[in-house]
Amino acid sequence: MHGLINRAIQAFVTSTYGADRWEEVMEEAGLGFSEFEAMLFYTDEQSGRMLAAMEKVLARPLPEMLEDMGTFLVSNPQVEALRRLLRFGGVNYVEFLHSLDDLPDRARLAVSDLHLPALELLEQAPQQFELICQPGLPGYAYVLMGVLRAMADDYGDLVFLDHSGTQGGAEVISITLVETKFAAGREFDLGAHSL
């Protein structure tokens, strides 16, 4: 797994639960180090041991934590660049959803050796969608559920999300857009400001 992904998990746990809890996770994982390097690659076995240790030490189901991590990735000011990358997908939530097919390619533009599983959005009915997440990254669909929920808040829309299981090896997320302009969205400026 790309170190950037493991580093994002580390940032989430440290920010949410504290540095001491992260140390406990890494001690439980028994990998021989306590921090991930963003630009290195780690084996699936190393990443799997870290995720299993996270579930055990933090005593929460892994899918729940991964969804919270997806929310963290969009809403936490430490990772504003990801929110900006996602907001370039459209001026409203539906346009953003339709841009998800291109997300793996956009991520690769930012980090050339980051390979995310393919995504396919299917419109089932007006305001009802299914997002098909191809296999390749354990827990990816749960992280995406957190991202989708946080982005709905970002746009000010109300959505209902459900992990609908698997279909031909791919995970399926059902998305129902309940109400647009439900609340004031977060401000977004296309041009980046320098401090």
Side-chain angles (χ1 to χ4, degrees):
M1 192 179 296
H2 198 290
L4 192 61
I5 295 169
N6 286 344
R7 187 70 183 195
I9 295 169
Q10 178 181 332
F12 163 69
V13 171
T14 302
S15 180
T16 306
Y17 299 96
D20 291 344
R21 298 308 300 269
W22 176 252
E23 290 295 329
E24 289 178 50
V25 167
M26 291 306 284
E27 195 172 303
E28 176 69 29
L31 297 176
F33 56 88
S34 62
E35 295 194 5
F36 288 99
E37 295 295 328
M39 298 315 288
L40 296 179
F41 283 89
Y42 297 88
T43 66
D44 289 345
E45 194 253 339
Q46 287 174 310
S47 298
R49 285 173 55 186
M50 178 263 297
L51 291 172
M54 212 172 100
E55 189 171 35
K56 181 177 179 183
V57 168
L58 301 175
R60 287 191 61 212
L62 188 58
E64 275 182 22
M65 287 189 288
L66 292 175
E67 187 173 339
D68 288 349
M69 189 186 112
T71 301
F72 168 85
L73 290 173
V74 173
S75 59
N76 192 293
Q78 293 176 329
V79 283
E80 180 68 20
L82 178 61
R83 175 183 175 247
R84 291 188 59 73
L85 177 72
L86 294 170
R87 281 299 294 256
F88 277 113
V91 296
N92 60 47
Y93 191 68
V94 172
E95 284 186 15
F96 159 73
L97 289 176
H98 283 287
S99 77
L100 289 174
D101 293 359
D102 300 327
L103 183 61
D105 293 332
R106 280 188 283 145
R108 220 170 9 267
L109 284 174
V111 181
S112 62
D113 57 355
L114 178 61
H115 298 283
L116 298 177
L119 300 171
E120 181 183 5
L121 184 76
L122 304 173
E123 190 164 355
Q124 303 296 3
Q127 314 290 41
Q128 292 186 332
F129 306 88
E130 281 188 345
L131 183 63
I132 312 299
C133 309
Q134 295 302 321
L137 196 57
Y140 185 52
Y142 290 103
V143 174
L144 276 175
M145 283 182 63
V147 167
L148 293 171
R149 192 175 318 283
M151 288 302 292
D153 290 345
D154 210 74
Y155 284 104
D157 292 355
L158 180 63
V159 299
F160 177 75
L161 302 170
D162 183 46
H163 189 287
S164 303
T166 59
Q167 175 181 314
E171 293 181 84
V172 180
I173 300 172
S174 296
I175 307 161
T176 302
L177 183 55
V178 178
E179 187 176 338
T180 59
K181 306 293 183 210
F182 177 75
R186 285 176 60 196
E187 189 173 318
F188 178 73
D189 187 4
L190 191 59
H193 297 285
S194 58
L195 299 174

